[in-house]
């Protein structure tokens, strides 16, 4: 009888684990697809922005070549590009990382908040694991109590019948 209850408990826990695993797998698929979609969108926007800047630079060089040599106009546009690259490197976290985090997690705005939310989620998972362990221990104790009580009653009855 004890084996049946334990087997049933084991089967229920394994089916619960499989269903939780399936939910986790589906959530992971959703997250990965969202990340890849955002990456492709950002990549496309960056390519379009680079094309726009290139056409703008060619047009600006052509317009400035009327009043100065072409090499001077190209040098001015190149220095503007170097300045834009420096700004992008200096402001990479607020310009690129934090908005990407905000897109991925609706209420998180920075890496620090992401780390805190991750720690909270890990803590919550640990609490849930401890709760399940406590439920299993309580069920085991209750089952042992009933089995012991049944065994003693059976021993008492068989002892009375033998006399």
């Amino acid at each position: 009888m004890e084996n049946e209850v334990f087997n049933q408990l084991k089967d229920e826990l394994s089916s619960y684990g499989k269903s939780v695993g399936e939910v986790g797998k589906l959530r992971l698929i959703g997250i990965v697809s969202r990340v890849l979609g955002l990456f492709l969108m950002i990549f496309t926007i960056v390519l379009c922005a680079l094309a726009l800047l290139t056409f703008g630079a060619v047009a600006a060089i052509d317009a400035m070549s009327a009043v100065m040599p072409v090499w001077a106009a190209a040098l001015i546009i190149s220095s503007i590009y170097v300045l834009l690259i420096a700004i992008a490197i200096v402001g990479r976290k607020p310009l690129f990382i934090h908005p990407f985090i905000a897109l991925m997690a609706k209420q998180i705005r920075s890496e620090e908040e992401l780390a805190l939310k991750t720690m909270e989620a890990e803590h919550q998972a640990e609490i849930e694991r401890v709760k399940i362990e406590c439920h299993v221990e309580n069920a085991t104790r209750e089952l042992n109590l009933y089995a012991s009580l049944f065994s003693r009653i059976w021993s008492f009855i068989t002892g009375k019948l033998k006399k």
Side-chain angles (χ1 to χ4, degrees):
M1 173 144 180
E2 281 184 38
N3 281 340
E4 276 183 35
V5 173
F6 283 122
N7 287 336
Q8 182 182 4
L9 182 62
K10 184 177 117 180
D11 291 340
E12 288 176 0
L13 285 175
S14 66
S15 65
Y16 172 72
K18 287 178 185 176
S19 63
V20 167
E22 184 69 21
V23 168
K25 183 177 85 171
L26 293 174
R27 285 185 183 170
L28 182 65
I29 290 170
I31 289 170
V32 167
S33 64
R34 199 165 78 182
V35 166
L36 288 176
L38 285 172
F39 173 74
L40 290 175
M41 182 188 72
I42 290 170
F43 184 68
T44 304
I45 289 172
V46 166
L47 285 179
C48 289
L50 287 175
L52 181 66
L53 287 174
T54 302
F55 290 131
V58 169
I61 289 172
D62 186 45
M64 287 190 291
S65 69
V67 273
M68 65 177 64
V70 175
W71 64 268
L75 193 59
I76 291 172
I77 297 299
S78 298
S79 63
I80 290 173
Y81 276 146
V82 169
L83 182 65
L84 286 175
I85 290 171
I87 289 171
I89 290 173
V90 168
R92 71 181 177 275
K93 281 192 177 187
L95 288 175
F96 303 110
I97 296 173
H98 293 166
F100 191 71
I101 290 172
L103 283 173
M104 291 303 299
K106 301 287 186 220
Q107 299 160 345
I108 300 172
R109 298 282 178 230
S110 67
E111 288 177 295
E112 293 80 21
E113 287 182 36
L114 179 63
L116 286 174
K117 291 285 186 182
T118 303
M119 287 175 47
E120 287 176 12
E122 289 172 350
H123 179 68
Q124 190 63 32
E126 181 69 21
I127 288 173
E128 292 299 322
R129 186 186 64 78
V130 168
K131 283 181 183 178
I132 288 174
E133 285 179 0
C134 289
H135 287 300
V136 168
E137 286 177 12
N138 287 340
T140 304
R141 284 188 194 123
E142 190 173 329
L143 184 65
N144 286 339
L145 173 73
Y146 290 137
S148 174
L149 184 64
F150 180 74
S151 172
R152 288 178 187 220
I153 290 172
W154 185 256
S155 296
F156 178 75
I157 291 173
T158 57
K160 288 290 185 181
L161 290 176
K162 286 183 182 177
K163 289 184 181 180

